Amino acid sequence: PPSTPAPVDAKAPAAAAAAAVPSANVYFGLDKFKLPLGTKKTLAEVVAYLKNNAGAKVHLSGYHDPSGGAAHNDALAQNRARAVRGALQLMGVARERIVMEKPTITTGSGDPKEARRVEARIK
């Protein structure tokens, strides 16, 4: 007799997607470090993952473009990352689970908005 195909679990793709490690980018206005509207929503998946994975940490990287003074840009990127750290803490993430990384200069000819961001990555 011909073999019958194995049943397919309809929940498997959803479970695989749920197990994926989220990340988030928070974009700021030009020369600003005030959290933009919608930051809580942007960070929600990262926070949920951290709450469900006690050993995970989130790494925050502030970015800036190469224009302007280096010291000002580094401070701006650090202040942006601190603002995101504060938002994460208000959302229930313990400070010791947030790793602050050195500011990064964005190079290239991409959208300048990309240089005005903080990346939140689970590691």
Side-chain angles (χ1 to χ4, degrees):
S3 63
T4 57
V8 176
D9 182 358
K11 295 179 185 174
V21 178
S23 63
N25 289 332
V26 178
Y27 295 95
F28 291 81
L30 181 63
D31 207 32
K32 305 285 185 215
F33 59 88
K34 181 181 177 188
L35 287 171
L37 294 175
T39 298
K40 187 174 180 179
K41 184 177 180 182
T42 300
L43 297 172
E45 286 186 41
V46 170
V47 171
Y49 184 90
L50 290 168
K51 287 181 178 180
N52 290 320
N53 295 277
K57 292 187 178 191
V58 62
H59 291 244
L60 300 181
S61 302
Y63 286 79
H64 61 82
D65 66 30
S67 67
H72 173 76
N73 285 340
D74 278 352
L76 186 59
Q78 288 175 352
N79 285 331
R80 288 172 175 163
R82 287 182 187 122
V84 173
R85 177 179 64 194
L88 288 167
Q89 287 178 276
L90 287 174
M91 294 172 75
V93 178
R95 188 177 180 125
E96 60 271 8
R97 296 186 66 200
I98 304 169
V99 178
M100 302 293 281
E101 295 187 352
K102 183 179 174 188
T104 305
I105 298 171
T106 302
T107 59
S109 60
D111 184 347
K113 177 176 116 172
E114 289 296 315
R116 299 187 302 264
R117 74 183 186 280
V118 171
E119 291 183 352
R121 303 282 176 257
I122 303 289
K123 294 187 182 178

